[in-house]
Amino acid sequence: VLNLALLSRDGALLTRRDFADLLRMLVCTAVMGAVVFAFDRFTALRTPRRDIYRITIERRGRTVPVLALADSGNRLIEPFSGLPVLVVNAAEIWGLLDAEERRVVRESDTETALPGLRWVLAGTVNGSGLLPAFRPDRMYIVINGKRAELGGYIAAAQAGIGNGDYSGVFHPKMIQVLL
């Protein structure tokens, strides 16, 4: 049996019980550190609800609600009109597009000219590319019980947008007058 003996500062011997207490304290500290780390990682992946809005889009008699993040870094505009662009996962707005528009979006077919479809140059941290965009018949938001029409374009992105809390991004200036 190995007998460990250390002296404390006042010269008294530390016993096995002291070592057990020390070990228990170290384990508890490590466990609490892991809990705090996990909590921090989990909450860091969540987006504050106050920045996410439900935007309703109408086109050709069909309606689709989209949860979108107000992102001050999104400065995307449609170049001819200067109107802001709401970028949405293509799957979220699939029901607003006809079969030919879905094909053009899916294949990123910039050669096919379709009425009402515009290509918008978008840049991200991963690079840049063209996004197909269209002007909906109506787009509105309800904030504090007030419904307000929004002007702008909807762009369909093939790459995933959001972290599960939302599926679109827009510049807050799109709704600034409502806040």
Side-chain angles (χ1 to χ4, degrees):
V1 176
L2 179 64
N3 237 345
L4 292 176
L6 290 178
L7 295 177
S8 65
R9 287 188 183 160
D10 62 1
L13 280 177
L14 296 177
T15 65
R16 280 190 178 160
R17 183 179 179 126
D18 293 331
F19 282 115
D21 289 344
L22 180 62
L23 181 61
R24 195 171 332 174
M25 185 176 65
L26 289 173
V27 168
C28 287
T29 302
V31 168
M32 288 308 297
V35 167
V36 169
F37 177 77
F39 179 77
D40 185 51
R41 292 285 294 166
F42 176 73
T43 57
L45 297 176
R46 310 289 303 169
T47 304
R49 292 298 304 175
R50 62 182 163 76
D51 294 336
I52 298 174
Y53 299 90
R54 184 176 190 251
I55 297 176
T56 303
I57 306 165
E58 295 179 3
R59 186 170 188 243
R60 297 181 182 148
R62 297 179 225 154
T63 303
V64 171
V66 173
L67 291 178
L69 173 70
D71 178 12
S72 60
N74 176 6
R75 302 194 190 296
L76 192 60
I77 61 168
E78 192 281 322
F80 297 111
S81 66
L83 291 172
V85 177
L86 166 64
V87 182
V88 181
N89 287 327
E92 296 290 321
I93 58 170
W94 223 233
L96 299 177
L97 306 176
D98 62 33
E100 183 63 6
E101 289 169 331
R102 284 194 296 269
R103 184 196 66 75
V104 166
V105 169
R106 188 175 41 253
E107 297 174 7
S108 294
D109 180 5
T110 58
E111 300 298 318
T112 302
L114 295 176
L117 187 68
R118 303 260 175 96
W119 290 91
V120 178
L121 180 62
T124 67
V125 292
N126 296 328
S128 63
L130 293 173
L131 292 176
F134 63 88
R135 185 101 191 251
D137 298 333
R138 289 182 60 203
M139 182 168 49
Y140 62 89
I141 189 169
V142 177
I143 297 179
N144 299 326
K146 296 178 184 175
R147 180 173 157 165
E149 299 289 324
L150 301 176
Y153 278 77
I154 308 298
Q158 293 293 344
I161 292 181
N163 61 4
D165 290 344
Y166 58 92
S167 58
V169 293
F170 66 97
H171 193 284
K173 286 185 179 178
M174 212 169 170
I175 61 167
Q176 187 174 17
V177 294
L178 305 173
L179 299 176

